[in-house]
Amino acid sequence: MERKNVLIVEDEEYSINMLKKLIVETAPYVKCYKASSLEQAYMILHNHVIDVFFIDIILNTKNSSDASGMNLAEELRGIDKYRFTPIIFITSLEDAKLYAYKRLHCYDYIEKPYLVREVKRTLVEALHYKTQLEFSRTVHFKKDGILVSIVENDIIYMKSVVRTLYIYTKNEEITIPYKTCEYMMNELDQRMFVQCNRNTIINRKYMGYVDKVNRYLEVKNCVTCTRLSIGKKYLDKVLEGMKIW
């Protein structure tokens, strides 16, 4: 079973630990991250690819008008890789539920105190929903004033040469100006892609044999390239990428 990442954003220690316990019991293959503040949440969601969010709408119980959890969800919807990621709100506010469904595309909500059956059902459905999205997740670029959309699953590898990104898919080669590998690694699902040298990124499912001594990897099912070089400082990442895949 492929590992999934879940982030709980909740300021009450008892609630966050209880919810984590239910999540781990329901899906042992899940890596569960906890954040009791917005600062912790931002650090985690930028350093890892999160598959499902549990967000408490009120993160500061001392402030009666607090809605910082809702603000976090709004910001997530502005980040491309989290535009459609399931968000499950922790709430008891009727108005907030309505707003969440209409404006933030909230996947679902759970109420305190938690009902075990409800939490487990919601988590399983959200993880399945994310899995289905991964097959059609796209990255978007503007080229010559036209929006270009590429399905991540179709990408074999990409290479940056003189300020131009060359993307090789199953059926075509696409050139995008002024994009770097560093930029792309921030946009792509990092569980699916690995950077093998400063200027090259490959889809993990197309990674074949890895020669650790001569530092290259074979590319499977690709007519434009049979092998890619591995930068010295990227070797460990490539080997780890093989294990994950």
Side-chain angles (χ1 to χ4, degrees), residues 42 154 241:
Y42 288 132
D154 290 341

Side-chain angles (χ1 to χ4, degrees), residues 105-117:
H105 309 291
C106 165
Y107 180 80
D108 208 337
Y109 65 88
I110 56 176
E111 295 183 279
K112 296 180 182 179
Y114 304 130
L115 295 177
V116 173
R117 183 181 301 175

Side-chain angles (χ1 to χ4, degrees), residues 88-198:
I88 299 166
F89 279 114
I90 304 166
T91 179
S92 58
L93 306 175
E94 189 65 39
D95 291 343
K97 297 172 194 173
L98 184 62
Y99 175 83
Y101 276 114
K102 286 186 175 180
R103 292 289 304 276
L104 301 178
H105 309 291
C106 165
Y107 180 80
D108 208 337
Y109 65 88
I110 56 176
E111 295 183 279
K112 296 180 182 179
Y114 304 130
L115 295 177
V116 173
R117 183 181 301 175
E118 180 184 8
V119 171
K120 292 186 175 183
R121 173 194 60 79
T122 305
L123 173 64
V124 170
E125 290 178 353
L127 288 170
H128 178 72
Y129 175 77
K130 174 62 177 177
T131 299
Q132 297 305 312
L133 282 180
E134 287 170 353
F135 288 103
S136 59
R137 189 179 186 277
T138 58
V139 285
H140 308 281
F141 308 93
K142 271 196 173 181
K143 181 181 178 182
D144 301 326
I146 300 174
L147 184 65
V148 178
S149 299
I150 306 172
V151 177
E152 282 191 349
N153 204 41
D154 290 341
I155 298 172
I156 300 175
Y157 74 100
M158 58 190 74
K159 185 182 290 265
S160 177
V161 181
V162 193
R163 301 179 69 191
T164 299
L165 188 70
Y166 296 83
I167 301 176
Y168 299 89
T169 72
K170 298 175 181 178
N171 304 310
E172 61 183 329
E173 174 188 324
I174 303 166
T175 58
I176 306 293
Y178 310 115
K179 297 298 181 187
T180 65
C181 286
E182 181 181 2
Y183 171 85
M184 289 304 302
M185 286 304 293
N186 288 325
E187 295 297 311
L188 296 167
D189 185 338
Q190 294 181 26
R191 294 162 308 166
M192 185 180 291
F193 293 88
V194 62
Q195 189 167 356
C196 55
N197 61 56
R198 183 179 178 185

